[in-house]
Amino acid sequence: MTETVIKQEQQPVGLGRIFTHWRGDLTGGITAAIVALPLALAFAVASGVEPKAGLYTAIIAGIVAAVCGGSQVQITGPTGAMAVILIGIVSKYGIEKVWIAGVMAGVIQIALGVTKLGQVVKFIPHPVTTGFTNGIAVIIFCSQLNNFFGLDLPRSEHFLPGLLDTFSHLENINWETVAIASVVIVTKLFWAKITRLIPGSLVGLVLATGLTAYFHLNIHTIGEIPQSLPLPHGIPHWQDWGLLRELINPALALAALGSIESLLSAVVADGMTVSDKHNSNRELIGQGLANIVVPFFGGIPATGAIARTAVNVRSGGKTRLSGVIHGVALALIVVVFAPLAAQIPLAALAGILMVTSIRMIEWETIGLLLRSDYADFGVMLLTLLITIVFDLILAVEVGLIAASILFIKRMSELEMAKVPEAEAFPPGIPLELTQEIAVYRVDGPLFFGAAERFATFLREEPQVKYLILRLRFVPNIDTTALVALEDIYQDLKRRGCRLILSGLQPQVQQRLERSGLLDKIGQNNCFETTDAAIRSLQEPVQEKVLEFQT
């Protein structure tokens, strides 16, 4: 224990701490950049924009978010989840309006961080996040079928019509394209068995590009990528207030997804490292700044990337320097290898994205939900279907509503039971008194979902003179339950029955006092324990017995 304290005290701070871990950060940053290169190109294509936009996004957003964000090891860039939203926005509005929506999304993210709403993501149930993650994986996989089969079809804004269009043109399959995509898929799946030092996606990309060039295959390639870094430029139409109003919904969608995915990625990183845990609010501010800056360099909205962040941590990254190195390394790759990147087949990117999407599906969680709780599995499945058929934001909204209804139902299953006489009454209580008392145990929070059952259950009690509610395991009570309790009190009072409460928790007692119900019931009818309540009733009975004998 003493050694641990000494080590913590000797940990350098600030810039000293950053450069102390520079070797691990250098390895982690470069490795993350190698992994990010094909993914940045692929996700840009999947978003409906030029491949260079993905590279510029990974460079600029990666550096800005690393410096300003709340996670020490987060890697930021284009992601599959963001691509699913962007493809619809690009198809409907065009790239210039995507830039405006990206800036607006960044402003919203900063506002969320400043108002300290970063913790809200922790309240999203796991079945909901699993549902939209799996839905995104399905969309990414199906969106690459055209590039996999070599079909030159227009992009569809909606999932199902686009999928039907693809399958209706399968007679036009380009088998050369299928072969190249298959080479990448096989390489990406099995390369890890040879070595993990070089990512399988990069090996597959190089192999596919080499085969395409050597055999002069007739398949589509990425096309020209400028062999230079982007310079800042203005964004047209950003002063058009009518356009800003039109883009508010896409901006909200981008901000919501960017915030959720980035914070989830930061949580995953926390579980992989012993360094400082992330600051959710600062992370939102950092991601917001990245999304504000990126459009001025021709990039697209970005988020924290779980896979690239994991690669960074596993490769030795420990501080923000690793994220900066990741961006700088990508910039050097663009300057040196841009002409070669232009020859990359779109089919190769399709192969990478298809394998990535399959790995995105949380198979273990699906199995766990199936084994443990069909209701949670239903919430996950509902969220997944709405993500595919409609859109992600609606899916999250419906998923949260479904999860909330399920939560209310579970909490409404209040545990109430009449305590058996052998357990309820302490030794020495006269038989005639036990016949006049009913003791009920209530376990769980008393709130609107359980209030009606609570009231109905107690009204069914046969005539007794004293009804004791043992509330020791009731942690809280809401207004609806207070009203139900007052109705019970009034009903018992009309029947000549005295209501007694035992074991009140501080929160419950405060609510009863503030509502005035405790004054109606009476402080003399509240006891620390059920035994104390019953023994207080024993004295009047004994006095009656003595009076009768006299």
Side-chain angles (χ1 to χ4, degrees):
M1 179 69 180
T2 305
E3 292 179 359
T4 303
V5 173
I6 292 173
K7 287 179 181 178
Q8 289 176 347
E9 289 177 351
Q10 292 177 345
Q11 281 286 336
V13 295
L15 291 176
R17 178 187 174 187
I18 290 176
F19 290 107
T20 298
H21 301 291
W22 70 269
R23 289 185 180 85
D25 289 335
L26 181 65
T27 304
I30 292 176
T31 306
I34 294 172
V35 172
L37 174 64
L39 293 176
L41 295 169
F43 288 134
V45 172
S47 300
V49 300
E50 295 181 24
K52 65 179 181 181
L55 291 175
Y56 296 163
T57 301
I59 295 168
I60 304 300
I63 294 174
V64 173
V67 173
C68 304
S71 173
Q72 293 287 334
V73 293
Q74 179 94 285
I75 300 296
T76 298
T79 64
M82 192 64 83
V84 171
I85 289 185
L86 284 173
I87 183 65
I89 300 175
V90 171
S91 299
K92 186 173 182 180
Y93 297 103
I95 184 61
E96 291 182 354
K97 293 181 181 178
V98 168
W99 292 336
I100 299 173
V103 172
M104 294 169 65
V107 172
I108 294 170
Q109 286 180 293
I110 291 176
L112 292 173
V114 170
T115 53
K116 301 188 182 303
L117 292 176
Q119 301 295 326
V120 173
V121 70
K122 295 180 180 179
F123 296 102
I124 299 178
H126 196 59
V128 176
T129 59
T130 301
F132 74 68
T133 301
N134 292 340
I136 287 167
V138 173
I139 292 174
I140 292 173
F141 183 91
C142 294
S143 69
Q144 294 306 305
L145 290 175
N146 287 342
N147 287 334
F148 178 84
F149 291 123
L151 303 177
D152 192 11
L153 299 175
R155 294 185 179 274
S156 176
E157 188 175 340
H158 301 288
F159 175 80
L160 292 178
L163 191 61
L164 291 173
D165 192 32
T166 297
F167 283 106
S168 64
H169 289 82
L170 287 182
E171 69 275 5
N172 300 323
I173 289 178
N174 183 334
W175 292 106
E176 293 179 346
T177 302
V178 173
I180 289 297
S182 299
V183 166
V184 175
I185 290 173
V186 171
T187 304
K188 189 169 172 60
L189 288 175
F190 296 102
W191 182 257
K193 294 183 179 181
I194 300 174
T195 179
R196 292 183 179 273
L197 296 177
I198 304 174
S201 57
L202 185 62
V203 175
L205 206 65
V206 172
L207 185 58
T209 304
L211 290 173
T212 301
Y214 182 79
F215 290 105
H216 303 288
L217 300 180
N218 182 28
I219 58 179
H220 293 293
T221 59
I222 286 178
E224 183 179 357
I225 295 177
Q227 196 172 2
S228 61
L229 297 178
L231 296 175
H233 58 77
I235 298 178
H237 311 303
W238 68 271
Q239 293 177 319
D240 185 346
W241 292 103
L243 180 60
L244 296 183
R245 287 195 297 271
E246 183 183 0
L247 293 175
I248 187 63
N249 285 337
L252 286 171
L254 293 171
L257 177 59
S259 301
I260 292 170
E261 188 173 12
S262 296
L263 293 180
L264 288 176
S265 176
V267 169
V268 171
D270 286 349
M272 298 178 63
T273 177
V274 294
S275 63
D276 296 335
K277 301 306 179 185
H278 81 282
N279 182 318
S280 297
N281 298 313
R282 180 174 173 179
E283 182 63 23
L284 288 181
I285 294 173
Q287 293 292 332
L289 288 171
N291 281 328
I292 289 175
V293 173
V294 158
F296 292 95
F297 290 86
I300 55 179
T303 72
I306 295 176
R308 277 156 275 174
T309 299
V311 167
N312 179 36
V313 175
R314 287 170 182 157
S315 302
K318 288 182 172 61
T319 73
R320 302 177 187 279
L321 184 60
S322 60
V324 175
I325 291 173
H326 150 267
V328 172
L330 277 174
L332 292 175
I333 291 172
V334 169
V335 171
V336 176
F337 297 107
L340 295 177
Q343 303 302 316
I344 295 174
L346 291 179
L349 299 182
I352 292 172
L353 285 174
M354 292 171 90
V355 175
T356 300
S357 63
I358 291 173
R359 289 176 174 172
M360 279 178 65
I361 297 177
E362 299 183 27
W363 301 104
E364 290 185 7
T365 303
I366 293 174
L368 175 64
L369 291 173
L370 274 172
R371 292 191 303 271
S372 61
D373 196 315
Y374 289 125
D376 281 340
F377 178 78
V379 171
M380 185 277 296
L381 191 60
L382 177 65
T383 308
L384 183 152
L385 291 175
I386 294 178
T387 299
I388 293 173
V389 177
F390 297 100
D391 62 72
L392 180 66
I393 299 305
L394 180 62
V396 173
E397 291 172 351
V398 173
L400 286 174
I401 292 172
S404 300
I405 293 172
L406 182 60
F407 171 77
I408 292 171
K409 180 181 181 300
R410 286 170 174 166
M411 296 300 291
S412 300
E413 295 170 356
L414 191 68
E415 199 171 321
M416 294 183 292
K418 185 174 182 178
V419 181
E421 291 184 6
E423 180 185 337
F425 300 111
I429 301 300
L431 179 61
E432 58 270 23
L433 179 59
T434 63
Q435 294 174 346
E436 294 179 345
I437 301 174
V439 181
Y440 281 86
R441 186 193 79 245
V442 183
D443 297 343
L446 277 171
F447 75 121
F448 67 92
E452 180 60 29
R453 182 168 176 264
F454 171 65
T456 303
F457 185 82
L458 293 178
R459 287 194 182 104
E460 294 174 354
E461 170 59 38
Q463 292 291 335
V464 291
K465 292 185 65 175
Y466 308 100
L467 191 147
I468 300 176
L469 286 181
R470 195 169 76 182
L471 303 177
R472 184 167 301 281
F473 298 105
V474 175
N476 211 335
I477 184 170
D478 74 353
T479 303
T480 307
L482 283 172
V483 172
L485 183 59
E486 183 171 5
D487 289 343
I488 291 168
Y489 165 73
Q490 297 293 352
D491 186 50
L492 293 174
K493 186 178 179 181
R494 284 192 296 269
R495 290 158 47 185
C497 180
R498 178 179 165 189
L499 177 63
I500 299 173
L501 308 178
S502 73
L504 287 175
Q505 294 294 320
Q507 299 93 328
V508 176
Q509 185 167 343
Q510 289 172 9
R511 294 297 302 272
L512 289 171
E513 288 173 352
R514 288 201 300 268
S515 67
L517 182 55
L518 195 59
D519 291 335
K520 292 182 181 179
I521 295 174
Q523 291 283 358
N524 61 319
N525 288 320
C526 297
F527 295 87
E528 181 66 25
T529 65
T530 304
D531 283 1
I534 293 174
R535 292 193 185 282
S536 73
L537 301 175
Q538 187 178 1
E539 297 172 4
V541 172
Q542 289 176 339
E543 290 175 3
K544 288 182 180 180
V545 171
L546 289 173
E547 183 181 347
F548 176 76
Q549 290 176 345
T550 302

